[in-house]
Amino acid sequence: MQRLVHEGTTIVEASSGSTAVSEAYFAAMLGLPFVAVMPASTSSSKVALIEAQGGRCHFVQRSSEVYAEAQRVAQETGGHYLDQFTNAERATDWRETTTSPSPSSRRCSRSSIRFRSG
């Protein structure tokens, strides 16, 4: 069963990089909580960027723990683990198929996003 993101869903990602900064930004735009799971050794500047976008940083001692911990945090919060590396192969780069964004990507604006209740 695939889990849907709905109003109030905590978005979780195992990342301490630019992806987490972007995800924190978009989660804030949608009014959703965001948690980035990252190694405790992550630079304070990256932590500050994520927090400046409204995200929360959750630290683990070893970098090898980030994926399992992100899954655990998502489950514990009733959230959704984005899992960028597993899901990356499913993404399609619109530039490969056309010279402009698809109609569906143009419709994806803050004003057009609606959440399913429940």
Side-chain angles (χ1 to χ4, degrees), residues 17-31:
S18 298
T19 298
V21 176
S22 298
E23 290 168 343
Y25 172 81
F26 282 105
M29 281 184 58
L30 297 171

Side-chain angles (χ1 to χ4, degrees), residues 26 29 92-95 97-113:
F26 282 105
M29 281 184 58
T92 301
D93 187 340
W94 61 265
R95 294 170 290 198
T97 58
T98 183
T99 57
S100 63
S102 69
S104 61
S105 66
R106 285 193 299 268
R107 286 192 306 264
C108 189
S109 68
R110 183 174 186 196
S111 62
S112 68
I113 294 175

Side-chain angles (χ1 to χ4, degrees), residues 38-106:
M38 62 187 65
S41 60
T42 301
S43 74
S44 59
S45 62
K46 280 291 186 186
V47 170
L49 286 170
I50 293 164
E51 291 176 344
Q53 298 303 324
R56 182 172 67 84
C57 298
H58 178 90
F59 301 100
V60 295
Q61 291 306 307
R62 293 183 295 275
S63 60
S64 61
E65 300 171 330
V66 295
Y67 306 108
E69 185 64 7
Q71 289 176 325
R72 188 193 69 74
V73 169
Q75 184 175 22
E76 182 180 278
T77 63
H80 180 74
Y81 174 31
L82 292 174
D83 196 3
Q84 65 173 314
F85 296 109
T86 298
N87 293 314
E89 67 188 34
R90 297 181 190 148
T92 301
D93 187 340
W94 61 265
R95 294 170 290 198
E96 293 176 1
T97 58
T98 183
T99 57
S100 63
S102 69
S104 61
S105 66
R106 285 193 299 268

